[in-house]
Amino acid sequence: MKKRIADDTSLLQAIYDSSSVGIFLLDMSGRIVHANRRMADLFGYTLEELMGSEYVSLIHPLEREAGRQNMLNTMARGVGHVDVERLYRRRDGSEFWGNLTGKALVDANGRTTGLVGNIADIDQRKRTEWELAASQERFERLARTVPCVLYDYILHGDGDSRFLYLNSRCEEIFEVPAEVLMANMECFWQLVHPEDLSRLRQEEQAANRSASQFSSEIRILTPSGRQKWLRLSSRPNVIEPGQSAVWSGFMLDITQAKQLEDELRQLATTDALTGLCNRQSFLRLADQEMARFNRAGNPASVLMLDLDYFKHINDTYGHGVGDAVLRDFSRRTGILLRQVDLCGRIGGEEFCILSPDTDQDGGLALGQRLCQTIAGQPAHCNGLTIAYTVSIGVTGFRAGDPNFDAVLARADSALYQAKRHGRNQVAQM
């Protein structure tokens, strides 16, 4: 029996000493009366040196008084449980963070006789937490700085989706708090322009199936009624088979860039003075209409127009008045044209009209209405009344025309006839 008890005691001592945490027992004065091997190793002392030493001497000076009060309060109450993270100091002066758990020891009569506790080394865990916190702070600082919405987005195979993260730029761009969009994905879809919504859903589903980079440009309508252009770009993160991908990316407000694109497009295709197509744009569109004629045989008429004696207007009243006359002519011509008709400024005072699905007789009738309208009402500029007229040459697309240049040359010849026969009239060829 004695041998068995001795064997059990040795086993318990072995378990006690091999524990991964430091275990200790304090008397009512706060001195260590028992400790395991791990407790000694944790602080760099021998077991003999630990015995009789004050527990609070192991606590870092910055926390020592708080530790003393905590110990005394636990002993005084005789009940309760201690679970705190505390900074300790080893024999060599190095520091480490430990997790202290303990409770008061109470005898059969209910009297507190001491305190038993254990200390787990959590220094690496604490440093990892600090590094993660610092990394998170750096990320949040960057997220507040970048001029776009950063996001994490999950898209399931059944089409269900939601935002997992949106940075603080969200409210600035969408005029809706990030929390609202993360809580209810429908709020985001309602912001997308109706004309772009179906395309966006199709593009995201296609990217999700192929697990490739996603990119798109869409319009949104904010609660205040503003329309904005956004560029979306994201990549899927590596996932386990069978799991839904989390897409990380950004949404950038490109409204100003889109406006600039429109302005540049206008400059590239529009005559700045009259707002009509410029020569290059008109000829490009006319070539497309010519190709349609060659495929389907749809008729089209072409009118060449030239303002009569325009040089005299410039020489008499100045180029400012001449420009006003050109704008007046463009405005009044536009009133008589259909939406499908194309009008361009070909030269200084030369214009061309292409009227799709209109034969040459229809073009002749249009030219006559234009002649009568322009001659019947003068232009008004800076208190001046400027009467002017226009000469017009009309032709139509023909099966033998090799290109639009041939049609344009024929309309130009008809215009020459109108000029030669007295101006302010329409001629056809």
Side-chain angles (χ1 to χ4, degrees):
M1 176 64 73
K2 290 182 179 180
K3 182 178 183 304
R4 182 178 177 183
I5 293 174
D7 289 344
D8 288 347
T9 301
S10 296
L11 178 61
L12 290 173
Q13 185 66 45
I15 295 173
Y16 181 60
D17 284 334
S18 63
S19 174
S20 62
V21 298
I23 303 172
F24 62 96
L25 179 65
L26 304 182
D27 62 17
M28 291 300 291
S29 68
R31 293 185 178 274
I32 298 174
V33 295
H34 211 291
N36 70 344
R37 177 66 60 185
R38 175 57 178 159
M39 184 70 176
D41 293 342
L42 200 58
F43 287 91
Y45 291 97
T46 65
L47 280 173
E48 292 74 15
E49 290 171 330
L50 278 181
M51 294 305 105
S53 65
E54 283 192 304
Y55 159 73
V56 294
S57 67
L58 303 176
I59 301 175
H60 193 281
L62 294 176
E63 298 197 0
R64 189 167 294 165
E65 188 56 34
R68 186 190 305 277
Q69 292 302 319
N70 194 39
M71 177 189 70
L72 294 175
N73 290 338
T74 302
M75 290 180 175
R77 291 196 308 268
V79 292
H81 183 76
V82 177
D83 189 347
V84 295
E85 293 180 355
R86 178 145 287 151
L87 185 61
Y88 291 96
R89 175 176 283 178
R90 299 186 181 92
R91 181 178 187 175
D92 62 7
S94 60
E95 302 167 357
F96 75 96
W97 280 90
N99 181 217
L100 168 67
T101 58
K103 62 183 298 184
L105 288 175
V106 181
D107 63 15
N109 298 318
R111 293 181 304 171
T112 302
T113 60
L115 187 146
V116 63
N118 62 68
I119 299 173
D121 185 347
I122 60 169
D123 199 63
Q124 186 59 48
R125 191 195 81 192
K126 291 290 287 186
R127 296 186 188 281
T128 301
E129 289 176 357
W130 294 335
E131 289 173 2
L132 286 174
S135 177
Q136 180 68 18
E137 172 58 26
R138 285 194 299 271
F139 173 77
E140 290 296 336
R141 189 164 58 247
L142 177 63
R144 291 191 297 269
T145 304
V146 293
C148 62
V149 176
L150 301 179
Y151 68 91
D152 275 344
Y153 175 75
I154 187 167
L155 176 61
H156 299 290
D158 61 2
D160 186 35
S161 60
R162 65 188 178 96
F163 287 113
L164 303 177
Y165 170 82
L166 290 162
N167 70 340
S168 58
R169 290 282 180 178
C170 174
E171 188 165 1
E172 177 183 327
I173 290 179
F174 289 101
E175 299 178 8
V176 177
E179 295 77 14
V180 173
L181 297 184
M182 286 191 287
N184 187 357
M185 193 65 197
E186 190 60 30
C187 292
F188 172 78
W189 298 127
Q190 291 174 357
L191 293 172
V192 179
H193 195 290
E195 295 179 3
D196 297 344
L197 180 57
S198 177
R199 172 177 58 82
L200 175 61
R201 299 300 296 266
Q202 292 173 4
E203 289 173 346
E204 71 162 10
Q205 290 289 348
N208 198 46
R209 286 192 297 269
S210 62
S212 58
Q213 180 172 352
F214 168 76
S215 61
S216 184
E217 292 184 357
I218 62 168
R219 291 164 293 175
I220 63 168
L221 298 172
T222 68
S224 68
R226 296 177 62 194
Q227 176 177 291
K228 296 182 180 180
W229 275 95
L230 300 183
R231 176 175 295 129
L232 285 63
S233 180
S234 61
R235 288 181 179 274
N237 295 295
V238 178
I239 58 171
E240 297 295 328
Q243 291 185 341
S244 298
V246 174
W247 295 73
S248 298
F250 66 87
M251 291 180 274
L252 180 66
D253 187 342
I254 58 170
T255 305
Q256 289 186 346
K258 281 292 186 179
Q259 290 172 345
L260 180 59
E261 283 181 16
D262 290 341
E263 291 172 5
L264 292 175
R265 190 179 299 111
Q266 283 289 102
L267 290 173
T269 61
T270 305
D271 176 62
L273 178 63
T274 63
L276 302 175
C277 290
N278 61 22
R279 180 184 180 90
Q280 182 180 7
S281 175
F282 178 86
L283 293 179
R284 176 175 55 82
L285 295 172
D287 284 339
Q288 294 176 6
E289 188 62 29
M290 188 78 182
R292 191 170 78 93
F293 167 76
N294 290 331
R295 288 194 307 270
N298 301 68
S301 59
V302 176
L303 292 73
M304 280 289 290
L305 307 91
D306 185 88
L307 271 60
D308 298 326
Y309 304 110
F310 185 73
K311 184 177 183 302
H312 174 74
I313 295 175
N314 271 338
D315 292 343
T316 303
Y317 302 104
H319 288 280
V321 172
D323 290 347
V325 170
L326 292 175
R327 287 192 292 268
D328 177 80
F329 172 77
S330 301
R331 178 185 61 80
R332 291 161 67 188
T333 298
I335 293 173
L336 294 179
L337 298 181
R338 303 170 301 170
Q339 189 172 0
V340 296
D341 292 333
L342 181 66
C343 184
R345 185 183 179 196
I346 304 301
E349 66 272 16
E350 290 184 334
F351 298 81
C352 189
I353 296 173
L354 191 155
S355 186
D357 300 315
T358 304
D359 60 18
Q360 186 165 321
D361 288 341
L364 182 63
L366 172 60
Q368 290 168 344
R369 289 198 302 274
L370 282 167
C371 253
Q372 293 169 4
T373 298
I374 298 302
Q377 183 177 350
H380 300 280
C381 177
N382 297 332
L384 299 173
T385 299
I386 311 296
Y388 68 99
T389 58
V390 62
S391 297
I392 304 175
V394 180
T395 191
F397 282 1
R398 296 176 186 172
D401 292 330
N403 49 45
F404 184 72
D405 287 344
V407 181
L408 201 61
R410 195 163 55 246
D412 200 43
S413 295
L415 172 62
Y416 177 74
Q417 286 187 15
K419 290 280 191 182
R420 189 177 58 187
H421 290 97
R423 294 181 169 81
N424 188 26
Q425 59 183 279
V426 183
Q428 63 176 327
M429 180 175 289

